[in-house]
Amino acid sequence: MKNIVKAINKIIFACLLPAVMLTGCNLFGLDLQESFDYDYEAGMASNEINSTVLEFLQDRSADFRLFLEGIEYAGLEEMYNESDATYIVLRNNAFTQFTAATPELSTGYFYRNQLINADGVQFRPTSLRQYPKEQVRQFLLYHIVKGAWSWPNLTFAPTWYPTYADGETAYVNLYIEKWNEAGTGVLNNIVFNNYVGHYARFITARTSNLKASSGAYVHVIENRYLEQPTLDQLR
């Protein structure tokens, strides 16, 4: 009888295991990556999102609420349907990340760009609408690179690319890194603004190589954002 029960338990476990594996990421508080349709002609999973960049963000408004708020505030909706462009989009925690125990290590935009209230007290904003509109506009335009850059055409050499922001330092540094920062394992990811003097080094994409219906590429960053270099850093 015991052997029969054991056999039944094994069958039940075998049937349930695939379901557990598929839902495990959600059970443990991690996002399960969405699958893409297989492209038999290309021989690889399709990276097409079948929408404009703005629609992609709006469909995931819970993750990009603050970024979308900035786009609306700056009046840049039309900019998020360019064809020959690379969009570096920021999840909410790129703005809100803050470590109370070690504030100096905090990388969120709101912490690193605090404001002064009417009483002269410094405070950490909660919305991009609290900043001057032109500051937000230039910040967002700096995260739109001219040219569609991703895995097919980026190199392993750090390279400066112009953005849509104003100014002679409005360049973003992009390249593909094969190894992790310590050189102990394979990374194979796109790295952003990894130059001496940037407030955070070795910033990588959470999700990369998403292709919009316009032909533009989308790369998603979390916990960090990009700052413009100085002229000396750019050289």
Side-chain angles (χ1 to χ4, degrees), residues 127-190:
S127 167
L128 286 173
R129 292 183 179 275
Q130 294 171 269
Y131 296 93
K133 186 174 293 186
E134 184 59 20
Q135 177 180 335
V136 175
R137 184 174 178 275
Q138 292 300 323
F139 173 77
L140 294 175
L141 290 176
Y142 180 65
H143 287 74
I144 306 176
V145 180
K146 294 179 179 180
W149 301 102
S150 192
W151 288 90
N153 54 4
L154 285 176
T155 69
F156 298 122
T159 304
W160 291 104
Y161 297 92
T163 70
Y164 280 88
D166 297 336
E168 55 187 334
T169 63
Y171 287 79
V172 163
N173 196 282
L174 301 175
Y175 68 100
I176 295 175
E177 178 63 66
K178 293 188 67 174
W179 305 97
N180 65 17
E181 191 169 14
T184 57
V186 176
L187 175 67
N188 283 339
N189 205 342
I190 296 174

Short mmCIF file of all heavy atoms in Angstrom, two decimals, residues 127-190:
data_model
loop_
_atom_site.label_atom_id
_atom_site.label_comp_id
_atom_site.label_asym_id
_atom_site.label_seq_id
_atom_site.Cartn_x
_atom_site.Cartn_y
_atom_site.Cartn_z
N SER A 127 7.96 63.47 -7.64
CA SER A 127 7.40 63.58 -9.00
C SER A 127 8.31 64.46 -9.84
O SER A 127 8.90 65.43 -9.35
CB SER A 127 6.00 64.18 -8.95
OG SER A 127 5.57 64.56 -10.24
N LEU A 128 8.40 64.13 -11.13
CA LEU A 128 9.16 64.97 -12.04
C LEU A 128 8.49 66.33 -12.26
O LEU A 128 9.13 67.29 -12.67
CB LEU A 128 9.33 64.26 -13.39
CG LEU A 128 10.33 63.09 -13.40
CD1 LEU A 128 10.29 62.36 -14.73
CD2 LEU A 128 11.74 63.59 -13.10
N ARG A 129 7.21 66.42 -11.95
CA ARG A 129 6.49 67.68 -12.08
C ARG A 129 6.97 68.74 -11.08
O ARG A 129 6.62 69.92 -11.20
CB ARG A 129 4.99 67.45 -11.91
CG ARG A 129 4.36 66.65 -13.04
CD ARG A 129 2.86 66.51 -12.86
NE ARG A 129 2.26 65.77 -13.95
CZ ARG A 129 1.88 66.30 -15.10
NH1 ARG A 129 2.05 67.60 -15.30
NH2 ARG A 129 1.34 65.57 -16.05
N GLN A 130 7.76 68.33 -10.11
CA GLN A 130 8.27 69.28 -9.13
C GLN A 130 9.53 70.00 -9.63
O GLN A 130 9.98 70.96 -9.00
CB GLN A 130 8.55 68.56 -7.81
CG GLN A 130 7.30 68.03 -7.13
CD GLN A 130 7.61 67.13 -5.95
OE1 GLN A 130 7.74 65.92 -6.07
NE2 GLN A 130 7.75 67.73 -4.78
N TYR A 131 10.07 69.54 -10.75
CA TYR A 131 11.26 70.17 -11.34
C TYR A 131 10.84 71.14 -12.43
O TYR A 131 9.74 71.04 -12.98
CB TYR A 131 12.17 69.10 -11.94
CG TYR A 131 12.76 68.12 -10.96
CD1 TYR A 131 12.14 66.91 -10.69
CD2 TYR A 131 13.96 68.41 -10.30
CE1 TYR A 131 12.68 66.01 -9.79
CE2 TYR A 131 14.51 67.51 -9.40
CZ TYR A 131 13.86 66.32 -9.15
OH TYR A 131 14.40 65.43 -8.25
N PRO A 132 11.72 72.07 -12.79
CA PRO A 132 11.43 72.93 -13.95
C PRO A 132 11.18 72.09 -15.19
O PRO A 132 11.86 71.09 -15.43
CB PRO A 132 12.71 73.77 -14.07
CG PRO A 132 13.31 73.75 -12.71
CD PRO A 132 12.99 72.41 -12.14
N LYS A 133 10.21 72.49 -15.99
CA LYS A 133 9.81 71.70 -17.15
C LYS A 133 10.96 71.49 -18.14
O LYS A 133 11.14 70.39 -18.69
CB LYS A 133 8.64 72.37 -17.85
CG LYS A 133 8.04 71.56 -18.99
CD LYS A 133 6.79 72.21 -19.56
CE LYS A 133 5.67 72.18 -18.54
NZ LYS A 133 4.38 72.67 -19.12
N GLU A 134 11.77 72.52 -18.35
CA GLU A 134 12.88 72.38 -19.30
C GLU A 134 13.93 71.40 -18.80
O GLU A 134 14.55 70.69 -19.59
CB GLU A 134 13.52 73.75 -19.59
CG GLU A 134 14.61 73.73 -20.64
CD GLU A 134 14.15 73.22 -22.00
OE1 GLU A 134 12.92 73.23 -22.28
OE2 GLU A 134 15.01 72.81 -22.80
N GLN A 135 14.13 71.35 -17.49
CA GLN A 135 15.07 70.38 -16.92
C GLN A 135 14.60 68.95 -17.21
O GLN A 135 15.40 68.08 -17.60
CB GLN A 135 15.20 70.58 -15.41
CG GLN A 135 16.11 69.55 -14.73
CD GLN A 135 16.24 69.77 -13.23
OE1 GLN A 135 16.05 70.88 -12.73
NE2 GLN A 135 16.55 68.72 -12.50
N VAL A 136 13.32 68.70 -17.03
CA VAL A 136 12.76 67.37 -17.29
C VAL A 136 12.83 67.05 -18.79
O VAL A 136 13.16 65.93 -19.18
CB VAL A 136 11.31 67.29 -16.79
CG1 VAL A 136 10.67 65.95 -17.17
CG2 VAL A 136 11.26 67.49 -15.28
N ARG A 137 12.55 68.04 -19.60
CA ARG A 137 12.59 67.84 -21.05
C ARG A 137 13.99 67.42 -21.50
O ARG A 137 14.14 66.46 -22.26
CB ARG A 137 12.16 69.12 -21.76
CG ARG A 137 12.08 69.02 -23.27
CD ARG A 137 11.51 70.29 -23.88
NE ARG A 137 11.47 70.20 -25.33
CZ ARG A 137 12.49 70.51 -26.12
NH1 ARG A 137 13.62 70.96 -25.58
NH2 ARG A 137 12.39 70.38 -27.42
N GLN A 138 15.00 68.14 -21.05
CA GLN A 138 16.38 67.81 -21.43
C GLN A 138 16.81 66.46 -20.86
O GLN A 138 17.55 65.70 -21.50
CB GLN A 138 17.33 68.91 -20.98
CG GLN A 138 17.16 70.23 -21.71
CD GLN A 138 17.38 70.10 -23.21
OE1 GLN A 138 18.24 69.35 -23.68
NE2 GLN A 138 16.57 70.81 -23.99
N PHE A 139 16.36 66.16 -19.66
CA PHE A 139 16.67 64.87 -19.03
C PHE A 139 16.13 63.71 -19.88
O PHE A 139 16.83 62.73 -20.15
CB PHE A 139 16.07 64.82 -17.63
CG PHE A 139 16.18 63.48 -16.96
CD1 PHE A 139 17.38 63.05 -16.41
CD2 PHE A 139 15.08 62.63 -16.88
CE1 PHE A 139 17.49 61.82 -15.79
CE2 PHE A 139 15.18 61.40 -16.26
CZ PHE A 139 16.38 60.99 -15.71
N LEU A 140 14.88 63.82 -20.31
CA LEU A 140 14.28 62.76 -21.12
C LEU A 140 14.91 62.69 -22.51
O LEU A 140 15.16 61.59 -23.02
CB LEU A 140 12.77 63.00 -21.24
CG LEU A 140 11.97 62.87 -19.94
CD1 LEU A 140 10.52 63.26 -20.17
CD2 LEU A 140 12.06 61.47 -19.38
N LEU A 141 15.18 63.85 -23.11
CA LEU A 141 15.80 63.85 -24.44
C LEU A 141 17.20 63.25 -24.40
O LEU A 141 17.66 62.66 -25.39
CB LEU A 141 15.85 65.27 -24.99
CG LEU A 141 14.51 65.89 -25.40
CD1 LEU A 141 14.69 67.34 -25.82
CD2 LEU A 141 13.86 65.08 -26.53
N TYR A 142 17.89 63.38 -23.28
CA TYR A 142 19.21 62.77 -23.15
C TYR A 142 19.13 61.25 -23.15
O TYR A 142 20.09 60.57 -23.50
CB TYR A 142 19.89 63.26 -21.86
CG TYR A 142 21.27 62.68 -21.67
CD1 TYR A 142 22.30 62.97 -22.55
CD2 TYR A 142 21.53 61.79 -20.61
CE1 TYR A 142 23.57 62.42 -22.39
CE2 TYR A 142 22.79 61.25 -20.44
CZ TYR A 142 23.81 61.56 -21.33
OH TYR A 142 25.05 61.01 -21.17
N HIS A 143 17.98 60.71 -22.79
CA HIS A 143 17.80 59.26 -22.79
C HIS A 143 17.21 58.75 -24.10
O HIS A 143 16.75 57.60 -24.17
CB HIS A 143 16.91 58.85 -21.60
CG HIS A 143 17.62 58.95 -20.28
ND1 HIS A 143 17.88 60.15 -19.67
CD2 HIS A 143 18.13 57.99 -19.47
CE1 HIS A 143 18.52 59.93 -18.53
NE2 HIS A 143 18.69 58.63 -18.38
N ILE A 144 17.26 59.59 -25.15
CA ILE A 144 16.89 59.16 -26.51
C ILE A 144 18.12 59.37 -27.39
O ILE A 144 18.51 60.51 -27.66
CB ILE A 144 15.69 59.94 -27.06
CG1 ILE A 144 14.50 59.88 -26.10
CG2 ILE A 144 15.29 59.36 -28.43
CD1 ILE A 144 13.31 60.71 -26.57
N VAL A 145 18.72 58.30 -27.82
CA VAL A 145 19.95 58.35 -28.62
C VAL A 145 19.58 58.39 -30.10
O VAL A 145 18.66 57.70 -30.55
CB VAL A 145 20.83 57.13 -28.33
CG1 VAL A 145 22.12 57.18 -29.14
CG2 VAL A 145 21.15 57.05 -26.83
N LYS A 146 20.30 59.21 -30.85
CA LYS A 146 20.07 59.29 -32.29
C LYS A 146 20.65 58.03 -32.95
O LYS A 146 21.80 57.67 -32.72
CB LYS A 146 20.72 60.54 -32.87
CG LYS A 146 20.07 61.83 -32.38
CD LYS A 146 20.75 63.06 -32.97
CE LYS A 146 20.09 64.34 -32.48
NZ LYS A 146 20.73 65.56 -33.02
N GLY A 147 19.84 57.39 -33.79
CA GLY A 147 20.26 56.14 -34.41
C GLY A 147 19.71 54.95 -33.66
O GLY A 147 19.58 54.99 -32.43
N ALA A 148 19.37 53.89 -34.37
CA ALA A 148 18.83 52.67 -33.76
C ALA A 148 19.99 51.74 -33.41
O ALA A 148 20.54 51.06 -34.29
CB ALA A 148 17.85 51.99 -34.71
N TRP A 149 20.36 51.70 -32.13
CA TRP A 149 21.53 50.95 -31.69
C TRP A 149 21.15 49.82 -30.75
O TRP A 149 20.48 50.02 -29.75
CB TRP A 149 22.52 51.88 -30.99
CG TRP A 149 22.98 53.00 -31.85
CD1 TRP A 149 22.56 54.30 -31.83
CD2 TRP A 149 23.96 52.91 -32.90
NE1 TRP A 149 23.20 55.03 -32.79
CE2 TRP A 149 24.07 54.21 -33.47
CE3 TRP A 149 24.74 51.88 -33.42
CZ2 TRP A 149 24.93 54.48 -34.52
CZ3 TRP A 149 25.60 52.15 -34.47
CH2 TRP A 149 25.69 53.44 -35.00
N SER A 150 21.61 48.62 -31.11
CA SER A 150 21.35 47.46 -30.25
C SER A 150 22.35 46.37 -30.60
O SER A 150 23.41 46.64 -31.17
CB SER A 150 19.90 46.96 -30.43
OG SER A 150 19.57 46.02 -29.43
N TRP A 151 22.01 45.13 -30.26
CA TRP A 151 22.94 44.02 -30.48
C TRP A 151 23.47 43.91 -31.90
O TRP A 151 24.65 43.63 -32.09
CB TRP A 151 22.25 42.71 -30.08
CG TRP A 151 22.10 42.57 -28.61
CD1 TRP A 151 21.04 42.99 -27.85
CD2 TRP A 151 23.04 42.01 -27.70
NE1 TRP A 151 21.27 42.72 -26.52
CE2 TRP A 151 22.49 42.12 -26.40
CE3 TRP A 151 24.30 41.44 -27.85
CZ2 TRP A 151 23.16 41.67 -25.27
CZ3 TRP A 151 24.96 40.98 -26.72
CH2 TRP A 151 24.39 41.10 -25.46
N PRO A 152 22.64 44.11 -32.93
CA PRO A 152 23.15 43.91 -34.29
C PRO A 152 24.28 44.86 -34.70
O PRO A 152 25.08 44.52 -35.56
CB PRO A 152 21.90 44.14 -35.17
CG PRO A 152 20.75 43.88 -34.26
CD PRO A 152 21.19 44.37 -32.92
N ASN A 153 24.33 46.08 -34.12
CA ASN A 153 25.31 47.04 -34.62
C ASN A 153 26.19 47.69 -33.56
O ASN A 153 27.07 48.48 -33.90
CB ASN A 153 24.62 48.12 -35.45
CG ASN A 153 23.50 48.81 -34.71
OD1 ASN A 153 23.27 48.55 -33.53
ND2 ASN A 153 22.78 49.68 -35.40
N LEU A 154 25.98 47.41 -32.28
CA LEU A 154 26.90 47.92 -31.26
C LEU A 154 28.17 47.09 -31.26
O LEU A 154 28.17 45.91 -31.63
CB LEU A 154 26.25 47.87 -29.87
CG LEU A 154 25.18 48.93 -29.57
CD1 LEU A 154 24.56 48.68 -28.20
CD2 LEU A 154 25.76 50.33 -29.64
N THR A 155 29.28 47.69 -30.82
CA THR A 155 30.55 46.98 -30.77
C THR A 155 30.96 46.74 -29.32
O THR A 155 30.28 47.15 -28.38
CB THR A 155 31.65 47.80 -31.47
OG1 THR A 155 31.94 48.97 -30.68
CG2 THR A 155 31.20 48.23 -32.86
N PHE A 156 32.09 46.07 -29.15
CA PHE A 156 32.63 45.83 -27.81
C PHE A 156 33.45 47.01 -27.30
O PHE A 156 33.91 47.00 -26.16
CB PHE A 156 33.49 44.56 -27.80
CG PHE A 156 32.73 43.31 -28.15
CD1 PHE A 156 33.11 42.53 -29.23
CD2 PHE A 156 31.62 42.93 -27.42
CE1 PHE A 156 32.42 41.38 -29.56
CE2 PHE A 156 30.92 41.79 -27.74
CZ PHE A 156 31.32 41.01 -28.82
N ALA A 157 33.62 48.01 -28.14
CA ALA A 157 34.41 49.19 -27.76
C ALA A 157 33.48 50.30 -27.30
O ALA A 157 32.54 50.66 -28.01
CB ALA A 157 35.24 49.67 -28.94
N PRO A 158 33.69 50.87 -26.11
CA PRO A 158 32.87 51.99 -25.64
C PRO A 158 32.87 53.12 -26.67
O PRO A 158 33.93 53.58 -27.10
CB PRO A 158 33.55 52.40 -24.33
CG PRO A 158 34.24 51.15 -23.86
CD PRO A 158 34.72 50.48 -25.11
N THR A 159 31.69 53.56 -27.06
CA THR A 159 31.56 54.56 -28.12
C THR A 159 30.53 55.62 -27.73
O THR A 159 29.49 55.29 -27.17
CB THR A 159 31.11 53.89 -29.44
OG1 THR A 159 32.05 52.84 -29.77
CG2 THR A 159 31.07 54.90 -30.58
N TRP A 160 30.83 56.89 -28.03
CA TRP A 160 29.91 57.99 -27.74
C TRP A 160 28.92 58.17 -28.88
O TRP A 160 29.30 58.21 -30.04
CB TRP A 160 30.68 59.28 -27.52
CG TRP A 160 31.51 59.30 -26.27
CD1 TRP A 160 32.87 59.15 -26.19
CD2 TRP A 160 31.04 59.48 -24.94
NE1 TRP A 160 33.27 59.23 -24.88
CE2 TRP A 160 32.17 59.43 -24.08
CE3 TRP A 160 29.78 59.66 -24.37
CZ2 TRP A 160 32.07 59.56 -22.71
CZ3 TRP A 160 29.67 59.79 -23.00
CH2 TRP A 160 30.80 59.75 -22.17
N TYR A 161 27.63 58.30 -28.52
CA TYR A 161 26.58 58.52 -29.51
C TYR A 161 25.78 59.78 -29.14
O TYR A 161 25.46 59.99 -27.97
CB TYR A 161 25.63 57.32 -29.55
CG TYR A 161 26.29 56.04 -29.97
CD1 TYR A 161 26.83 55.16 -29.02
CD2 TYR A 161 26.40 55.68 -31.32
CE1 TYR A 161 27.45 53.98 -29.39
CE2 TYR A 161 27.01 54.49 -31.70
CZ TYR A 161 27.54 53.65 -30.73
OH TYR A 161 28.16 52.48 -31.11
N PRO A 162 25.44 60.61 -30.12
CA PRO A 162 24.67 61.83 -29.82
C PRO A 162 23.24 61.51 -29.42
O PRO A 162 22.66 60.51 -29.88
CB PRO A 162 24.73 62.61 -31.14
CG PRO A 162 24.89 61.55 -32.18
CD PRO A 162 25.75 60.49 -31.55
N THR A 163 22.67 62.37 -28.58
CA THR A 163 21.28 62.22 -28.15
C THR A 163 20.48 63.41 -28.67
O THR A 163 21.02 64.31 -29.33
CB THR A 163 21.18 62.16 -26.62
OG1 THR A 163 21.49 63.47 -26.09
CG2 THR A 163 22.15 61.14 -26.04
N TYR A 164 19.21 63.44 -28.33
CA TYR A 164 18.33 64.53 -28.75
C TYR A 164 18.38 65.72 -27.79
O TYR A 164 17.73 66.74 -28.04
CB TYR A 164 16.89 64.04 -28.88
CG TYR A 164 16.63 63.30 -30.18
CD1 TYR A 164 16.85 61.92 -30.27
CD2 TYR A 164 16.17 63.97 -31.30
CE1 TYR A 164 16.61 61.24 -31.45
CE2 TYR A 164 15.93 63.29 -32.49
CZ TYR A 164 16.16 61.92 -32.55
OH TYR A 164 15.93 61.25 -33.74
N ALA A 165 19.13 65.62 -26.71
CA ALA A 165 19.24 66.73 -25.76
C ALA A 165 20.12 67.83 -26.34
O ALA A 165 20.91 67.61 -27.26
CB ALA A 165 19.81 66.24 -24.43
N ASP A 166 19.98 69.03 -25.79
CA ASP A 166 20.79 70.17 -26.22
C ASP A 166 22.15 70.15 -25.53
O ASP A 166 22.32 69.54 -24.48
CB ASP A 166 20.08 71.48 -25.88
CG ASP A 166 18.76 71.64 -26.62
OD1 ASP A 166 18.61 71.02 -27.69
OD2 ASP A 166 17.89 72.37 -26.10
N GLY A 167 23.12 70.83 -26.14
CA GLY A 167 24.42 70.98 -25.50
C GLY A 167 25.50 70.12 -26.12
O GLY A 167 25.22 69.06 -26.69
N GLU A 168 26.73 70.56 -25.98
CA GLU A 168 27.85 69.86 -26.60
C GLU A 168 28.29 68.61 -25.85
O GLU A 168 29.15 67.87 -26.33
CB GLU A 168 29.04 70.82 -26.76
CG GLU A 168 29.49 71.48 -25.47
CD GLU A 168 30.56 72.53 -25.71
OE1 GLU A 168 31.28 72.41 -26.73
OE2 GLU A 168 30.68 73.45 -24.89
N THR A 169 27.72 68.35 -24.67
CA THR A 169 28.06 67.13 -23.93
C THR A 169 26.91 66.14 -23.92
O THR A 169 26.93 65.18 -23.14
CB THR A 169 28.46 67.45 -22.48
OG1 THR A 169 27.33 68.03 -21.80
CG2 THR A 169 29.64 68.40 -22.44
N ALA A 170 25.91 66.33 -24.76
CA ALA A 170 24.73 65.46 -24.76
C ALA A 170 24.99 64.18 -25.53
O ALA A 170 24.36 63.89 -26.56
CB ALA A 170 23.54 66.21 -25.34
N TYR A 171 25.93 63.40 -25.04
CA TYR A 171 26.31 62.13 -25.65
C TYR A 171 26.18 61.01 -24.62
O TYR A 171 26.45 61.20 -23.43
CB TYR A 171 27.75 62.17 -26.15
CG TYR A 171 27.94 63.01 -27.40
CD1 TYR A 171 28.00 64.39 -27.33
CD2 TYR A 171 28.05 62.40 -28.66
CE1 TYR A 171 28.16 65.16 -28.47
CE2 TYR A 171 28.22 63.17 -29.80
CZ TYR A 171 28.28 64.54 -29.70
OH TYR A 171 28.44 65.30 -30.83
N VAL A 172 25.78 59.83 -25.11
CA VAL A 172 25.69 58.64 -24.27
C VAL A 172 26.72 57.63 -24.76
O VAL A 172 26.93 57.47 -25.97
CB VAL A 172 24.27 58.02 -24.33
CG1 VAL A 172 24.27 56.59 -23.82
CG2 VAL A 172 23.30 58.86 -23.51
N ASN A 173 27.36 56.95 -23.82
CA ASN A 173 28.36 55.95 -24.15
C ASN A 173 27.72 54.56 -24.10
O ASN A 173 27.15 54.17 -23.08
CB ASN A 173 29.52 56.03 -23.16
CG ASN A 173 30.75 55.29 -23.65
OD1 ASN A 173 30.80 54.07 -23.58
ND2 ASN A 173 31.72 56.03 -24.15
N LEU A 174 27.81 53.83 -25.22
CA LEU A 174 27.19 52.51 -25.32
C LEU A 174 28.19 51.49 -25.85
O LEU A 174 29.02 51.81 -26.69
CB LEU A 174 26.00 52.53 -26.28
CG LEU A 174 24.83 53.46 -26.00
CD1 LEU A 174 23.84 53.40 -27.15
CD2 LEU A 174 24.15 53.08 -24.70
N TYR A 175 28.09 50.28 -25.37
CA TYR A 175 28.86 49.18 -25.94
C TYR A 175 28.34 47.86 -25.36
O TYR A 175 27.56 47.85 -24.40
CB TYR A 175 30.36 49.32 -25.66
CG TYR A 175 30.78 49.17 -24.21
CD1 TYR A 175 31.31 47.97 -23.73
CD2 TYR A 175 30.67 50.23 -23.31
CE1 TYR A 175 31.71 47.84 -22.42
CE2 TYR A 175 31.07 50.11 -22.00
CZ TYR A 175 31.59 48.90 -21.55
OH TYR A 175 31.98 48.77 -20.25
N ILE A 176 28.76 46.75 -25.96
CA ILE A 176 28.39 45.43 -25.46
C ILE A 176 29.55 44.87 -24.64
O ILE A 176 30.70 44.86 -25.10
CB ILE A 176 28.05 44.48 -26.62
CG1 ILE A 176 26.80 44.98 -27.35
CG2 ILE A 176 27.82 43.05 -26.10
CD1 ILE A 176 26.45 44.18 -28.58
N GLU A 177 29.25 44.44 -23.45
CA GLU A 177 30.26 43.86 -22.56
C GLU A 177 30.04 42.35 -22.47
O GLU A 177 28.94 41.89 -22.13
CB GLU A 177 30.14 44.48 -21.17
CG GLU A 177 31.10 43.92 -20.14
CD GLU A 177 32.56 44.17 -20.50
OE1 GLU A 177 32.98 45.33 -20.52
OE2 GLU A 177 33.25 43.17 -20.75
N LYS A 178 31.08 41.57 -22.79
CA LYS A 178 30.93 40.12 -22.77
C LYS A 178 31.10 39.53 -21.38
O LYS A 178 30.58 38.46 -21.09
CB LYS A 178 31.95 39.48 -23.72
CG LYS A 178 31.71 39.80 -25.19
CD LYS A 178 32.61 38.98 -26.08
CE LYS A 178 32.28 37.50 -26.03
NZ LYS A 178 33.06 36.71 -27.00
N TRP A 179 31.84 40.24 -20.51
CA TRP A 179 32.14 39.69 -19.20
C TRP A 179 31.60 40.59 -18.11
O TRP A 179 31.40 41.78 -18.31
CB TRP A 179 33.66 39.52 -19.02
CG TRP A 179 34.26 38.71 -20.11
CD1 TRP A 179 34.89 39.17 -21.24
CD2 TRP A 179 34.25 37.30 -20.21
NE1 TRP A 179 35.27 38.14 -22.03
CE2 TRP A 179 34.90 36.97 -21.43
CE3 TRP A 179 33.78 36.27 -19.41
CZ2 TRP A 179 35.07 35.65 -21.85
CZ3 TRP A 179 33.94 34.96 -19.82
CH2 TRP A 179 34.59 34.66 -21.03
N ASN A 180 31.37 40.02 -16.94
CA ASN A 180 30.87 40.85 -15.85
C ASN A 180 31.99 41.75 -15.32
O ASN A 180 33.14 41.64 -15.73
CB ASN A 180 30.26 40.00 -14.73
CG ASN A 180 31.29 39.11 -14.03
OD1 ASN A 180 32.49 39.32 -14.14
ND2 ASN A 180 30.81 38.12 -13.32
N GLU A 181 31.64 42.63 -14.41
CA GLU A 181 32.58 43.66 -13.96
C GLU A 181 33.84 43.07 -13.35
O GLU A 181 34.93 43.61 -13.48
CB GLU A 181 31.88 44.57 -12.95
CG GLU A 181 32.66 45.82 -12.62
CD GLU A 181 31.83 46.82 -11.84
OE1 GLU A 181 30.76 46.43 -11.35
OE2 GLU A 181 32.26 47.97 -11.74
N ALA A 182 33.69 41.92 -12.66
CA ALA A 182 34.84 41.29 -12.01
C ALA A 182 35.63 40.42 -12.99
O ALA A 182 36.70 39.92 -12.66
CB ALA A 182 34.38 40.46 -10.82
N GLY A 183 35.09 40.23 -14.19
CA GLY A 183 35.77 39.40 -15.18
C GLY A 183 35.72 37.93 -14.87
O GLY A 183 36.53 37.14 -15.36
N THR A 184 34.73 37.51 -14.07
CA THR A 184 34.67 36.11 -13.64
C THR A 184 33.56 35.32 -14.32
O THR A 184 33.34 34.17 -14.00
CB THR A 184 34.46 36.03 -12.12
OG1 THR A 184 33.27 36.76 -11.78
CG2 THR A 184 35.65 36.62 -11.38
N GLY A 185 32.83 35.93 -15.21
CA GLY A 185 31.75 35.21 -15.86
C GLY A 185 31.21 35.97 -17.06
O GLY A 185 31.52 37.15 -17.26
N VAL A 186 30.39 35.31 -17.86
CA VAL A 186 29.84 35.91 -19.05
C VAL A 186 28.71 36.86 -18.67
O VAL A 186 27.87 36.55 -17.83
CB VAL A 186 29.30 34.82 -20.00
CG1 VAL A 186 28.62 35.45 -21.21
CG2 VAL A 186 30.44 33.92 -20.44
N LEU A 187 28.70 38.05 -19.27
CA LEU A 187 27.63 39.01 -19.03
C LEU A 187 26.75 39.16 -20.27
O LEU A 187 25.55 38.98 -20.20
CB LEU A 187 28.22 40.38 -18.65
CG LEU A 187 27.21 41.51 -18.49
CD1 LEU A 187 26.32 41.24 -17.29
CD2 LEU A 187 27.92 42.84 -18.33
N ASN A 188 27.39 39.45 -21.42
CA ASN A 188 26.66 39.64 -22.66
C ASN A 188 25.48 40.59 -22.47
O ASN A 188 24.31 40.21 -22.59
CB ASN A 188 26.16 38.29 -23.20
CG ASN A 188 27.26 37.50 -23.87
OD1 ASN A 188 28.26 38.05 -24.28
ND2 ASN A 188 27.09 36.19 -23.94
N ASN A 189 25.79 41.84 -22.20
CA ASN A 189 24.75 42.84 -22.01
C ASN A 189 25.25 44.19 -22.53
O ASN A 189 26.44 44.39 -22.70
CB ASN A 189 24.38 42.95 -20.53
CG ASN A 189 22.97 43.48 -20.32
OD1 ASN A 189 22.37 44.07 -21.21
ND2 ASN A 189 22.43 43.27 -19.13
N ILE A 190 24.30 45.10 -22.74
CA ILE A 190 24.65 46.45 -23.15
C ILE A 190 24.99 47.26 -21.90
O ILE A 190 24.29 47.19 -20.89
CB ILE A 190 23.49 47.10 -23.92
CG1 ILE A 190 23.23 46.32 -25.21
CG2 ILE A 190 23.81 48.56 -24.24
CD1 ILE A 190 22.01 46.79 -25.98
#
